Amino acid sequence: MGKENKKKVNIDEMTQINQFGVAYRDGEFLLIFNATNEDFSDGTAFILPAKLLKKITDGLKQSGIRYQKTFSQDIGFTEE
C-alpha cells in the first residue's frame, strides 16, 4: 500500500464528472471517471477497496432518492 495523502477538499476547485464507471480487475474494483472511450481506457481510475463499494452505492442511491423527493423528478431510484 502506498502512503496516504491527506488533503482538504476545496469545494471552490471541483472538477465536473461527465462520465463514470466501475470495473473489476485482478481482485480489486476501479472507479473510472471522465473516459471518452467505450472501454474506459482513457479515463482517470482510482482503486476502490471492495468493502467501500457498498458504501458508495448506498450513498448514491440515498442521494438519488432525496433528489427525486426534493425536485419531484423521477430519475430511476426506488426505495425498497
Side-chain angles (χ1 to χ4, degrees):
M1 280 271 155
K3 182 179 173 185
E4 181 178 337
N5 288 329
K6 297 199 179 220
K7 294 195 276 184
K8 289 186 176 182
V9 174
N10 184 346
I11 61 172
D12 295 324
E13 296 179 16
M14 298 180 91
T15 300
Q16 181 171 334
I17 296 174
N18 297 312
Q19 180 279 343
F20 83 97
V22 177
Y24 181 77
R25 179 195 74 172
D26 298 327
E28 62 193 11
F29 287 98
L30 302 175
L31 286 179
I32 305 168
F33 296 96
N34 292 339
T36 57
N37 295 335
E38 285 187 27
D39 66 356
F40 299 105
S41 63
D42 66 339
T44 302
F46 299 88
I47 296 170
L48 175 67
K51 62 185 174 184
L52 294 180
L53 182 60
K54 175 85 167 104
K55 286 184 178 183
I56 290 172
T57 55
D58 287 347
L60 288 171
K61 179 180 176 183
Q62 290 306 313
S63 295
I65 290 168
R66 282 193 302 260
Y67 178 94
Q68 290 178 157
K69 289 179 179 179
T70 300
F71 296 103
S72 299
Q73 182 180 10
D74 184 1
I75 58 173
F77 289 90
T78 58
E79 293 184 84
E80 293 179 21

Coordinates of all heavy atoms in Angstrom, one line a residue:
M1 N 0.8 -1.2 0.0 CA 0.0 0.0 0.0 C 0.9 1.2 0.0 O 1.9 1.3 0.7 CB -0.9 0.0 1.3 CG -2.1 -0.8 1.2 SD -3.4 0.2 0.5 CE -4.4 -1.1 -0.1
G2 N 0.4 2.2 -0.7 CA 1.2 3.5 -0.8 C 0.9 4.4 0.4 O -0.1 4.1 1.2
K3 N 1.6 5.4 0.6 CA 1.4 6.3 1.6 C 0.2 7.1 1.4 O -0.1 7.6 0.3 CB 2.6 7.3 1.7 CG 2.6 8.3 2.8 CD 3.8 9.2 2.7 CE 3.7 10.3 3.7 NZ 4.8 11.2 3.6
E4 N -0.6 7.3 2.4 CA -1.9 8.0 2.3 C -1.6 9.5 2.3 O -0.9 10.0 3.1 CB -2.8 7.7 3.5 CG -4.1 8.3 3.4 CD -5.0 8.0 4.6 OE1 -4.8 6.9 5.1 OE2 -5.9 8.7 4.9
N5 N -2.2 10.2 1.3 CA -2.1 11.6 1.2 C -3.4 12.2 1.9 O -4.5 11.8 1.5 CB -2.0 12.1 -0.2 CG -0.7 11.8 -0.8 OD1 0.3 11.8 -0.1 ND2 -0.7 11.6 -2.1
K6 N -3.2 13.1 2.8 CA -4.3 13.7 3.5 C -4.5 15.2 2.9 O -3.6 16.0 3.1 CB -4.2 13.8 5.0 CG -4.1 12.4 5.5 CD -4.4 12.4 7.0 CE -4.4 10.9 7.5 NZ -5.4 10.6 8.4
K7 N -5.5 15.4 2.2 CA -5.8 16.7 1.6 C -7.2 17.2 2.0 O -8.1 16.4 2.1 CB -5.7 16.7 0.1 CG -4.4 16.3 -0.5 CD -4.3 16.7 -1.9 CE -4.8 15.5 -2.8 NZ -4.6 15.8 -4.2
K8 N -7.3 18.5 2.2 CA -8.6 19.0 2.4 C -9.3 19.2 1.0 O -8.7 19.4 0.0 CB -8.5 20.4 3.1 CG -8.1 20.3 4.5 CD -8.2 21.7 5.1 CE -7.8 21.6 6.6 NZ -8.0 23.0 7.2
V9 N -10.6 19.0 1.0 CA -11.4 19.2 -0.2 C -11.7 20.7 -0.3 O -12.2 21.3 0.6 CB -12.7 18.4 -0.1 CG1 -13.6 18.7 -1.3 CG2 -12.4 16.9 0.0
N10 N -11.3 21.2 -1.4 CA -11.6 22.6 -1.7 C -12.8 22.6 -2.6 O -12.7 22.4 -3.8 CB -10.4 23.3 -2.3 CG -10.6 24.8 -2.5 OD1 -11.7 25.3 -2.5 ND2 -9.6 25.5 -2.8
I11 N -14.0 23.0 -2.1 CA -15.2 22.9 -2.9 C -15.2 24.0 -4.0 O -16.1 24.0 -4.9 CB -16.5 23.0 -2.0 CG1 -16.5 24.3 -1.2 CG2 -16.6 21.7 -1.2 CD1 -17.8 24.5 -0.5
D12 N -14.3 25.0 -3.9 CA -14.3 26.0 -5.0 C -13.5 25.5 -6.2 O -13.5 26.2 -7.2 CB -13.6 27.3 -4.4 CG -14.5 27.9 -3.3 OD1 -15.8 27.8 -3.5 OD2 -14.0 28.4 -2.3
E13 N -12.8 24.4 -6.1 CA -11.9 23.9 -7.2 C -12.3 22.5 -7.5 O -11.5 21.6 -7.5 CB -10.4 24.0 -6.8 CG -9.9 25.3 -6.5 CD -8.5 25.3 -6.1 OE1 -7.8 24.3 -6.3 OE2 -8.0 26.4 -5.6
M14 N -13.6 22.3 -7.8 CA -14.1 21.0 -8.1 C -14.1 20.7 -9.6 O -14.2 21.7 -10.4 CB -15.5 20.8 -7.6 CG -15.6 21.0 -6.1 SD -17.2 20.8 -5.5 CE -17.3 19.0 -5.2
T15 N -13.9 19.5 -10.0 CA -14.0 19.1 -11.4 C -15.3 18.4 -11.6 O -15.7 17.5 -10.8 CB -12.8 18.1 -11.7 OG1 -11.6 18.8 -11.4 CG2 -12.9 17.6 -13.1
Q16 N -16.0 18.7 -12.7 CA -17.2 18.0 -13.0 C -17.0 16.6 -13.6 O -16.1 16.5 -14.4 CB -18.0 18.9 -14.0 CG -19.4 18.2 -14.3 CD -20.3 19.1 -15.1 OE1 -20.1 20.3 -15.1 NE2 -21.2 18.6 -15.9
I17 N -17.8 15.7 -13.2 CA -17.7 14.3 -13.7 C -18.8 14.2 -14.8 O -20.0 14.5 -14.5 CB -18.0 13.3 -12.6 CG1 -16.9 13.3 -11.6 CG2 -18.1 11.9 -13.3 CD1 -17.1 12.4 -10.4
N18 N -18.4 14.0 -16.0 CA -19.3 13.8 -17.1 C -19.6 12.4 -17.4 O -20.6 12.1 -18.1 CB -18.7 14.5 -18.4 CG -18.5 16.0 -18.2 OD1 -19.4 16.6 -17.7 ND2 -17.3 16.4 -18.5
Q19 N -18.8 11.5 -16.9 CA -19.0 10.0 -17.1 C -18.2 9.3 -16.0 O -17.2 9.8 -15.6 CB -18.4 9.7 -18.5 CG -18.5 8.2 -18.9 CD -17.5 7.4 -18.3 OE1 -16.4 7.8 -17.8 NE2 -17.7 6.1 -18.4
F20 N -18.8 8.2 -15.6 CA -18.0 7.3 -14.6 C -18.5 5.9 -14.8 O -19.5 5.6 -15.2 CB -18.1 7.8 -13.2 CG -19.3 7.4 -12.4 CD1 -19.3 6.3 -11.6 CD2 -20.5 8.1 -12.5 CE1 -20.4 5.9 -10.9 CE2 -21.7 7.7 -11.8 CZ -21.6 6.6 -11.0
G21 N -17.6 5.0 -14.4 CA -17.9 3.6 -14.4 C -17.2 2.9 -13.3 O -16.3 3.4 -12.6
V22 N -17.6 1.7 -13.1 CA -16.9 0.8 -12.1 C -16.5 -0.4 -12.8 O -17.2 -1.0 -13.7 CB -17.9 0.4 -11.0 CG1 -17.3 -0.6 -10.0 CG2 -18.4 1.6 -10.2
A23 N -15.2 -0.9 -12.6 CA -14.7 -2.0 -13.2 C -14.1 -2.9 -12.2 O -13.7 -2.5 -11.1 CB -13.6 -1.6 -14.2
Y24 N -13.9 -4.2 -12.5 CA -13.3 -5.2 -11.6 C -12.0 -5.7 -12.4 O -12.1 -6.1 -13.5 CB -14.2 -6.3 -11.3 CG -13.6 -7.4 -10.4 CD1 -13.5 -7.1 -9.1 CD2 -13.1 -8.6 -10.9 CE1 -12.9 -8.1 -8.2 CE2 -12.6 -9.5 -10.1 CZ -12.5 -9.3 -8.7 OH -11.9 -10.2 -7.9
R25 N -10.9 -5.7 -11.7 CA -9.6 -6.1 -12.3 C -8.7 -6.7 -11.2 O -8.5 -6.1 -10.2 CB -9.0 -4.9 -12.9 CG -7.6 -5.3 -13.6 CD -6.8 -4.0 -13.9 NE -6.3 -3.5 -12.6 CZ -5.5 -2.5 -12.5 NH1 -5.1 -1.9 -13.5 NH2 -5.0 -2.1 -11.3
D26 N -8.2 -7.9 -11.4 CA -7.2 -8.5 -10.6 C -7.5 -8.4 -9.1 O -6.7 -7.9 -8.3 CB -5.8 -7.9 -10.8 CG -5.4 -8.2 -12.3 OD1 -5.7 -9.2 -12.8 OD2 -4.7 -7.3 -12.8
G27 N -8.7 -8.7 -8.7 CA -9.1 -8.7 -7.3 C -9.4 -7.4 -6.7 O -9.5 -7.2 -5.4
E28 N -9.6 -6.3 -7.5 CA -9.9 -5.0 -7.0 C -10.9 -4.3 -7.9 O -11.0 -4.6 -9.1 CB -8.6 -4.2 -6.9 CG -7.9 -3.9 -8.2 CD -6.5 -3.4 -8.1 OE1 -6.0 -3.4 -7.0 OE2 -6.0 -2.9 -9.1
F29 N -11.6 -3.4 -7.3 CA -12.6 -2.6 -8.1 C -11.9 -1.3 -8.4 O -11.0 -0.8 -7.7 CB -13.8 -2.3 -7.2 CG -14.7 -3.4 -7.1 CD1 -14.7 -4.2 -5.9 CD2 -15.6 -3.8 -8.1 CE1 -15.5 -5.3 -5.7 CE2 -16.5 -4.9 -7.9 CZ -16.4 -5.6 -6.7
L30 N -12.3 -0.7 -9.6 CA -11.8 0.5 -10.0 C -13.0 1.5 -10.2 O -14.0 1.1 -10.8 CB -11.0 0.4 -11.3 CG -9.8 -0.5 -11.4 CD1 -9.3 -0.6 -12.8 CD2 -8.7 -0.1 -10.5
L31 N -12.8 2.7 -9.8 CA -13.7 3.8 -10.2 C -13.0 4.5 -11.3 O -11.9 4.9 -11.1 CB -14.0 4.7 -9.0 CG -14.9 4.2 -7.9 CD1 -15.0 5.3 -6.8 CD2 -16.3 3.8 -8.4
I32 N -13.7 4.7 -12.4 CA -13.1 5.4 -13.6 C -14.0 6.6 -14.0 O -15.2 6.5 -14.1 CB -13.0 4.4 -14.8 CG1 -12.3 3.1 -14.3 CG2 -12.3 5.0 -15.9 CD1 -12.4 2.0 -15.3
F33 N -13.3 7.7 -14.1 CA -14.0 9.0 -14.3 C -13.6 9.6 -15.6 O -12.4 9.6 -16.0 CB -13.7 10.0 -13.2 CG -14.2 9.5 -11.9 CD1 -13.4 8.9 -11.0 CD2 -15.5 9.7 -11.5 CE1 -13.9 8.5 -9.7 CE2 -16.0 9.3 -10.3 CZ -15.2 8.7 -9.4
N34 N -14.5 10.2 -16.3 CA -14.3 11.0 -17.5 C -13.6 10.4 -18.6 O -12.8 11.0 -19.3 CB -13.7 12.4 -17.1 CG -14.6 13.2 -16.3 OD1 -15.8 13.1 -16.3 ND2 -14.1 14.1 -15.5
A35 N -13.9 9.1 -18.9 CA -13.3 8.4 -20.0 C -14.2 8.8 -21.3 O -15.4 9.1 -21.2 CB -13.4 6.9 -19.8
T36 N -13.5 8.8 -22.4 CA -14.3 9.1 -23.6 C -14.4 7.8 -24.5 O -15.2 7.8 -25.4 CB -13.6 10.3 -24.4 OG1 -12.3 9.9 -24.7 CG2 -13.7 11.6 -23.7
N37 N -13.5 6.9 -24.2 CA -13.5 5.6 -25.0 C -14.5 4.7 -24.3 O -14.7 4.7 -23.1 CB -12.1 4.9 -25.0 CG -11.1 5.7 -25.7 OD1 -11.4 6.5 -26.6 ND2 -9.8 5.5 -25.3
E38 N -15.2 3.8 -25.1 CA -16.2 2.9 -24.6 C -15.6 1.9 -23.6 O -16.2 1.4 -22.7 CB -16.8 2.1 -25.8 CG -17.8 2.9 -26.5 CD -18.6 2.1 -27.5 OE1 -18.7 0.9 -27.3 OE2 -19.0 2.7 -28.5
D39 N -14.3 1.6 -23.7 CA -13.6 0.7 -22.8 C -13.0 1.4 -21.6 O -12.3 0.7 -20.8 CB -12.6 -0.2 -23.5 CG -11.4 0.7 -24.0 OD1 -11.4 1.9 -23.9 OD2 -10.4 0.1 -24.5
F40 N -13.3 2.7 -21.4 CA -12.8 3.5 -20.3 C -11.3 3.6 -20.2 O -10.8 4.0 -19.2 CB -13.3 2.9 -19.0 CG -14.8 2.8 -18.8 CD1 -15.5 1.6 -19.0 CD2 -15.5 4.0 -18.6 CE1 -16.9 1.6 -18.8 CE2 -16.9 3.9 -18.5 CZ -17.6 2.7 -18.6
S41 N -10.6 3.2 -21.3 CA -9.1 3.2 -21.2 C -8.4 4.5 -21.1 O -7.3 4.6 -20.7 CB -8.6 2.4 -22.4 OG -8.9 3.1 -23.6
D42 N -9.2 5.6 -21.4 CA -8.5 6.9 -21.3 C -9.1 7.8 -20.1 O -8.8 8.9 -20.1 CB -8.7 7.7 -22.6 CG -10.2 8.0 -22.9 OD1 -11.1 7.4 -22.3 OD2 -10.4 9.0 -23.7
G43 N -9.7 7.1 -19.2 CA -10.3 7.8 -18.0 C -9.2 7.9 -16.9 O -8.2 7.3 -17.0
T44 N -9.6 8.5 -15.8 CA -8.8 8.6 -14.6 C -9.4 7.5 -13.7 O -10.6 7.6 -13.3 CB -8.9 10.0 -14.0 OG1 -8.5 11.0 -14.9 CG2 -8.1 10.0 -12.7
A45 N -8.5 6.6 -13.3 CA -9.0 5.4 -12.5 C -8.5 5.5 -11.0 O -7.3 6.0 -10.8 CB -8.6 4.1 -13.1
F46 N -9.3 5.1 -10.1 CA -8.9 5.0 -8.7 C -9.2 3.6 -8.2 O -10.3 3.1 -8.4 CB -9.7 6.0 -7.9 CG -9.4 7.4 -8.3 CD1 -10.2 8.1 -9.3 CD2 -8.4 8.2 -7.7 CE1 -9.9 9.4 -9.7 CE2 -8.1 9.5 -8.0 CZ -8.9 10.1 -9.0
I47 N -8.3 3.0 -7.5 CA -8.5 1.7 -6.9 C -9.5 1.9 -5.7 O -9.3 2.8 -4.9 CB -7.2 1.0 -6.4 CG1 -6.3 0.8 -7.6 CG2 -7.5 -0.2 -5.6 CD1 -4.9 0.4 -7.2
L48 N -10.5 1.0 -5.6 CA -11.5 1.1 -4.6 C -11.6 -0.3 -3.8 O -11.8 -1.3 -4.4 CB -12.9 1.3 -5.2 CG -14.1 1.3 -4.4 CD1 -14.0 2.5 -3.4 CD2 -15.3 1.4 -5.2
P49 N -11.3 -0.2 -2.5 CA -11.4 -1.5 -1.7 C -12.9 -2.0 -1.8 O -13.8 -1.2 -1.8 CB -11.1 -1.0 -0.3 CG -10.2 0.2 -0.5 CD -10.8 0.9 -1.7
A50 N -13.0 -3.3 -2.0 CA -14.3 -3.9 -2.2 C -15.3 -3.5 -1.1 O -16.5 -3.3 -1.4 CB -14.2 -5.4 -2.3
K51 N -14.9 -3.4 0.1 CA -15.8 -3.2 1.2 C -16.4 -1.7 1.1 O -17.4 -1.4 1.7 CB -15.2 -3.4 2.6 CG -14.0 -2.5 2.9 CD -13.4 -2.9 4.2 CE -12.1 -2.1 4.5 NZ -11.4 -2.6 5.7
L52 N -15.7 -0.8 0.4 CA -16.2 0.5 0.3 C -17.2 0.7 -0.9 O -17.9 1.6 -0.9 CB -15.1 1.5 0.1 CG -14.1 1.7 1.3 CD1 -13.0 2.7 1.0 CD2 -14.9 2.1 2.5
L53 N -17.2 -0.3 -1.8 CA -18.1 -0.2 -3.0 C -19.6 -0.1 -2.5 O -20.4 0.7 -3.0 CB -17.9 -1.3 -3.9 CG -18.8 -1.3 -5.2 CD1 -18.5 -0.1 -6.0 CD2 -18.5 -2.6 -6.0
K54 N -19.9 -0.9 -1.5 CA -21.3 -0.9 -1.0 C -21.6 0.4 -0.4 O -22.7 0.9 -0.6 CB -21.4 -2.0 0.1 CG -22.8 -2.1 0.8 CD -23.8 -2.9 0.0 CE -25.0 -3.2 0.8 NZ -26.1 -2.3 0.5
K55 N -20.7 1.0 0.4 CA -21.0 2.3 1.0 C -21.2 3.4 -0.1 O -22.1 4.2 0.0 CB -19.8 2.8 1.8 CG -19.7 2.1 3.2 CD -18.6 2.7 4.0 CE -18.5 2.0 5.3 NZ -17.5 2.6 6.2
I56 N -20.5 3.3 -1.2 CA -20.6 4.3 -2.3 C -22.0 4.1 -3.0 O -22.7 5.0 -3.2 CB -19.5 4.2 -3.3 CG1 -18.2 4.8 -2.6 CG2 -19.8 5.0 -4.5 CD1 -17.0 4.6 -3.4
T57 N -22.3 2.8 -3.3 CA -23.6 2.6 -4.0 C -24.8 3.0 -3.1 O -25.8 3.5 -3.6 CB -23.7 1.2 -4.5 OG1 -23.5 0.2 -3.4 CG2 -22.6 0.9 -5.5
D58 N -24.7 2.7 -1.8 CA -25.8 3.0 -0.9 C -25.9 4.6 -0.8 O -27.0 5.1 -0.8 CB -25.5 2.5 0.5 CG -25.8 1.0 0.6 OD1 -26.3 0.4 -0.3 OD2 -25.3 0.4 1.6
G59 N -24.8 5.3 -0.8 CA -24.8 6.7 -0.8 C -25.4 7.3 -2.0 O -26.2 8.3 -2.0
L60 N -25.0 6.8 -3.2 CA -25.6 7.2 -4.4 C -27.1 7.0 -4.5 O -27.9 7.8 -4.9 CB -24.9 6.5 -5.6 CG -23.5 6.9 -5.9 CD1 -22.9 5.9 -7.0 CD2 -23.4 8.3 -6.4
K61 N -27.5 5.8 -4.0 CA -29.0 5.5 -4.0 C -29.7 6.5 -3.1 O -30.7 7.0 -3.5 CB -29.2 4.1 -3.5 CG -30.6 3.7 -3.5 CD -30.8 2.3 -3.0 CE -32.3 1.9 -2.9 NZ -32.5 0.6 -2.3
Q62 N -29.3 6.7 -1.9 CA -29.9 7.6 -1.0 C -29.9 9.1 -1.5 O -30.9 9.8 -1.4 CB -29.3 7.6 0.4 CG -29.6 6.3 1.1 CD -31.1 5.9 1.2 OE1 -31.9 6.7 1.5 NE2 -31.4 4.7 0.8
S63 N -28.9 9.5 -2.1 CA -28.8 10.8 -2.7 C -29.8 10.9 -3.9 O -30.5 12.0 -4.0 CB -27.4 11.1 -3.3 OG -26.5 11.2 -2.2
G64 N -29.9 9.9 -4.7 CA -30.9 9.9 -5.8 C -32.3 10.0 -5.3 O -33.1 10.7 -5.9
I65 N -32.6 9.2 -4.3 CA -34.0 9.2 -3.7 C -34.3 10.6 -3.1 O -35.4 11.2 -3.4 CB -34.1 8.1 -2.6 CG1 -34.1 6.7 -3.3 CG2 -35.4 8.3 -1.8 CD1 -33.9 5.6 -2.3
R66 N -33.3 11.2 -2.4 CA -33.5 12.6 -1.9 C -33.7 13.6 -3.0 O -34.6 14.5 -2.9 CB -32.4 13.0 -1.0 CG -32.4 12.4 0.4 CD -31.4 13.0 1.4 NE -30.1 12.9 0.9 CZ -29.2 12.1 1.3 NH1 -29.5 11.2 2.2 NH2 -28.0 12.1 0.8
Y67 N -32.9 13.5 -4.1 CA -33.1 14.3 -5.2 C -34.5 14.3 -5.8 O -35.1 15.3 -6.1 CB -32.0 14.0 -6.3 CG -32.1 14.8 -7.5 CD1 -31.3 15.9 -7.7 CD2 -33.0 14.4 -8.6 CE1 -31.4 16.7 -8.8 CE2 -33.1 15.2 -9.7 CZ -32.3 16.3 -9.9 OH -32.4 17.1 -11.0
Q68 N -35.0 13.0 -6.0 CA -36.3 12.8 -6.6 C -37.4 13.5 -5.7 O -38.3 14.1 -6.2 CB -36.6 11.3 -6.7 CG -35.8 10.7 -7.8 CD -36.0 9.2 -7.9 OE1 -35.8 8.7 -9.0 NE2 -36.5 8.5 -6.9
K69 N -37.3 13.3 -4.4 CA -38.3 13.9 -3.5 C -38.2 15.4 -3.5 O -39.2 16.1 -3.5 CB -38.0 13.3 -2.0 CG -38.4 11.9 -1.9 CD -38.2 11.4 -0.5 CE -38.6 9.9 -0.4 NZ -38.4 9.4 0.9
T70 N -37.0 15.9 -3.5 CA -36.8 17.4 -3.4 C -37.3 18.1 -4.7 O -38.0 19.1 -4.6 CB -35.3 17.7 -3.2 OG1 -34.9 17.2 -2.0 CG2 -35.1 19.3 -3.2
F71 N -37.0 17.5 -5.9 CA -37.4 18.1 -7.1 C -38.5 17.5 -7.9 O -38.9 17.9 -9.0 CB -36.1 18.1 -8.0 CG -35.0 18.9 -7.5 CD1 -33.9 18.3 -6.9 CD2 -35.0 20.3 -7.5 CE1 -32.9 19.1 -6.4 CE2 -34.0 21.1 -7.0 CZ -32.9 20.4 -6.4
S72 N -39.2 16.5 -7.2 CA -40.4 15.8 -7.8 C -40.1 15.4 -9.2 O -40.8 15.6 -10.1 CB -41.6 16.7 -7.8 OG -41.9 17.1 -6.5
Q73 N -38.9 14.8 -9.4 CA -38.5 14.3 -10.7 C -38.0 12.9 -10.5 O -37.1 12.6 -9.7 CB -37.4 15.2 -11.2 CG -36.9 14.8 -12.6 CD -35.8 15.7 -13.0 OE1 -35.2 16.6 -12.3 NE2 -35.4 15.6 -14.3
D74 N -38.5 11.9 -11.3 CA -38.1 10.5 -11.3 C -36.9 10.3 -12.1 O -36.9 10.5 -13.4 CB -39.2 9.6 -11.7 CG -38.9 8.1 -11.6 OD1 -37.8 7.8 -11.2 OD2 -39.8 7.3 -12.0
I75 N -35.7 10.0 -11.5 CA -34.5 9.7 -12.3 C -34.1 8.3 -12.2 O -33.0 7.9 -12.5 CB -33.4 10.7 -11.9 CG1 -33.1 10.6 -10.4 CG2 -33.7 12.1 -12.3 CD1 -31.8 11.4 -9.9
G76 N -35.0 7.4 -11.7 CA -34.8 6.0 -11.7 C -34.5 5.3 -10.4 O -34.2 4.1 -10.4
F77 N -34.5 6.1 -9.3 CA -34.1 5.5 -8.0 C -35.4 5.0 -7.3 O -36.4 5.7 -7.3 CB -33.4 6.4 -7.1 CG -32.0 6.7 -7.6 CD1 -31.7 7.7 -8.4 CD2 -30.9 5.9 -7.1 CE1 -30.4 8.0 -8.9 CE2 -29.6 6.1 -7.6 CZ -29.4 7.2 -8.4
T78 N -35.4 3.8 -6.7 CA -36.5 3.3 -5.9 C -36.1 2.9 -4.5 O -35.0 2.5 -4.3 CB -37.1 2.1 -6.6 OG1 -36.1 1.1 -6.7 CG2 -37.7 2.5 -8.0
E79 N -37.1 3.1 -3.6 CA -36.9 2.7 -2.2 C -37.4 1.2 -2.1 O -38.4 0.9 -2.7 CB -37.6 3.6 -1.2 CG -37.1 4.9 -1.2 CD -37.8 5.8 -0.1 OE1 -37.3 5.7 1.0 OE2 -38.7 6.5 -0.5
E80 N -36.7 0.4 -1.3 CA -37.1 -1.0 -1.2 C -38.0 -1.1 0.1 O -37.9 -0.4 1.0 CB -35.9 -1.9 -1.1 CG -35.2 -1.9 -2.4 CD -34.0 -2.8 -2.4 OE1 -33.9 -3.7 -1.5 OE2 -33.1 -2.6 -3.2

